């Protein structure tokens, strides 16, 4: 007998073959290469003054940013299959504008960004990079977004909200096997059992499509995965909704940050630029353009405490 988890993965495999053009027609956000609605920033003299006089940009007059186009709404390819768009590219454009520089986005595989940044191939990485104590040994960080996982249910679900372990007691939750979300929910379930509540039943799937099929078919009560991904799906398909968020570093805070080379001196300019963008409202406008207001930070920090080494 084929395990249900494997069968679901096989059944939904064809869903990933949708053409880029057809996908764009369903999308709730602008996936065209022109990006006429992008929010832009004026030069910020205070932030520019924080750039060390001896800092050498990868390309003079340009902020070169490494980015991994992993998928909407954070970063993906536009309908021309070559222009990188999304919330992270929009934020990179704001930062470049604040520093009075042009922007050059360099697509990079996720696994390759540390080497490219350390070697000076680009000045910064803006690609959903979480702050960790291990990464802080080699890089400086300016935070710009919360790292969140999302709890989503079918649009007609009676589940009102999940904010703490007891809210998930007795629920069946679809989650990626071997992920940080699974690790957190296992701990939540243990806490519930210790408190005399029902455990959480975890259904583990290897891919997003299988998790969504499980949720939509009623086999799972809730789906949990990175918040931004589910925001995009909910806006596109309109059949799931958010009922809560969870810090990606639970029980600790886990912020996403601009990464720069350790000791390059660029970090202070980037943190100040980000805080000024928060203050003038352009930061919030850029997040709202991709439905990510929930992930906004009240202020940017330089090298805050990161997730510990495990």
């Amino acid at each position: 007998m084929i395990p249900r988890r494997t069968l679901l993965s096989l059944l939904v495999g064809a869903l990933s073959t949708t053409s880029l053009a057809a996908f764009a027609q369903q999308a709730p956000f602008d996936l065209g290469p022109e990006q006429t609605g992008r929010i832009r920033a004026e030069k910020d003299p205070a932030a520019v003054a924080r750039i060390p006089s001896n800092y050498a940009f990868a390309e003079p007059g340009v902020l070169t940013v490494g980015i991994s186009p992993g998928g909407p709404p954070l970063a993906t390819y536009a309908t021309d299959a070559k222009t990188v768009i999304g919330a992270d590219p929009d934020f990179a454009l704001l930062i470049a504008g604040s520093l009075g520089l042009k922007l050059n986005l360099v697509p990079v595989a996720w696994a390759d960004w540390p080497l490219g940044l350390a070697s000076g191939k680009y000045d910064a990485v803006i690609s959903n990079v979480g702050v960790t104590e291990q990464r802080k040994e080699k890089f400086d960080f300016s935070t710009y977004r919360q790292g969140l996982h999302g709890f989503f249910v079918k649009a007609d679900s009676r589940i009102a909200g999940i904010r703490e372990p007891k809210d998930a007691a007795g629920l069946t939750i679809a989650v990626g096997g071997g992920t940080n979300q699974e690790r957190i929910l296992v701990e939540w379930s243990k806490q519930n059992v210790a408190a005399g509540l029902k455990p959480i039943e975890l259904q583990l799937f290897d891919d997003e499509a299988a998790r969504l099929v499980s949720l939509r078919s009623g086999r799972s009560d809730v789906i949990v995965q990175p918040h931004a991904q589910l925001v995009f799906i909910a806006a596109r398909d309109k059949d799931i909704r958010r009922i809560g968020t969870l810090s990606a570093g639970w029980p600790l805070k886990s912020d996403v940050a601009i990464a720069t080379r350790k000791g390059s001196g660029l970090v202070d300019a980037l943190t100040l630029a980000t805080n000024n963008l928060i203050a003038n409202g352009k930061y919030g406008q850029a997040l709202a353009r991709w439905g990510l207001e929930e992930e906004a930070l009240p202020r940017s920090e330089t090298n805050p405490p990161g997730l510990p080494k495990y």
Side-chain angles (χ1 to χ4, degrees):
M1 178 180 294
I2 300 176
R4 186 174 69 188
R5 173 180 167 189
T6 302
L7 181 59
L8 277 171
S9 296
L10 292 172
L11 289 173
V12 301
L15 296 178
S16 63
T17 62
T18 306
S19 70
L20 190 61
F23 177 76
Q25 291 176 359
Q26 301 175 11
F29 306 118
D30 177 15
L31 297 184
E34 295 82 6
Q35 293 295 293
T36 55
R38 268 183 171 171
I39 310 302
R40 299 177 182 274
E42 297 178 355
K43 186 175 180 179
D44 181 346
V48 173
R50 293 286 185 92
I51 302 173
S53 59
N54 62 348
Y55 180 80
F57 286 93
E59 180 181 350
V62 176
L63 182 66
T64 304
V65 174
I67 190 165
S68 178
L74 295 182
T76 190
Y77 286 104
T79 51
D80 64 357
K82 62 181 180 180
T83 304
V84 181
I85 61 171
D88 279 348
D90 279 10
F91 180 68
L93 184 66
L94 285 176
I95 290 295
S98 296
L99 300 183
L101 301 169
K102 295 180 180 179
L103 175 64
N104 178 28
L105 290 176
V106 180
V108 59
W110 171 259
D112 295 339
W113 73 257
L115 180 59
L117 182 56
S119 67
K121 184 176 180 180
Y122 19 85
D123 303 298
V125 170
I126 300 179
S127 194
N128 202 40
V129 178
V131 181
T132 70
E133 289 303 310
Q134 185 169 2
R135 288 172 179 162
K136 282 168 61 179
E137 293 175 359
K138 294 184 178 180
F139 305 105
D140 285 325
F141 291 98
S142 299
T143 59
Y144 70 95
R145 212 177 64 241
Q146 294 185 65
L148 296 179
H149 299 316
F151 293 102
F152 280 65
V153 296
K154 291 173 63 177
D156 60 357
S157 172
R158 295 184 179 181
I159 302 173
I162 296 179
R163 293 173 180 79
E164 54 186 323
K166 68 179 183 179
D167 297 332
L171 296 179
T172 300
I173 299 181
V175 67
T179 63
N180 189 40
Q181 301 94 279
E182 180 194 3
R183 176 189 66 80
I184 293 170
L185 291 173
V186 166
E187 291 302 315
W188 276 33
S189 189
K190 289 178 180 178
Q191 286 190 20
N192 284 338
V193 171
L197 301 173
K198 293 181 179 180
I200 299 170
E201 181 184 345
L202 296 182
Q203 294 183 329
L204 307 181
F205 299 100
D206 294 328
D207 58 77
E208 178 183 89
R211 291 191 290 275
L212 288 168
V213 167
S214 184
L215 178 68
R216 288 163 172 160
S217 68
R219 292 178 176 174
S220 300
D221 300 310
V222 184
I223 184 174
V224 176
Q225 65 185 52
H227 174 257
Q229 298 171 357
L230 290 173
V231 164
F232 186 83
I233 293 167
R236 182 192 66 199
D237 299 343
K238 297 179 173 54
D239 62 349
I240 65 172
R241 61 181 174 85
R242 180 179 58 217
I243 58 167
T245 58
L246 168 71
S247 171
W250 184 92
L252 304 175
K253 185 175 71 167
S254 176
D255 289 339
V256 172
I258 308 169
T260 52
R261 290 187 299 283
K262 191 76 176 177
S264 70
L266 198 56
V267 66
D268 290 336
L270 298 177
T271 300
L272 180 59
T274 302
N275 278 321
N276 288 342
L277 289 166
I278 292 172
N280 67 27
K282 291 186 181 294
Y283 165 83
Q285 293 172 35
L287 285 180
R289 186 167 180 259
W290 297 96
L292 297 179
E293 303 95 315
E294 190 84 6
E295 299 191 3
L297 285 174
R299 62 184 295 269
S300 175
E301 296 180 275
T302 295
N303 292 328
L307 296 181
K309 298 179 181 179
Y310 290 107

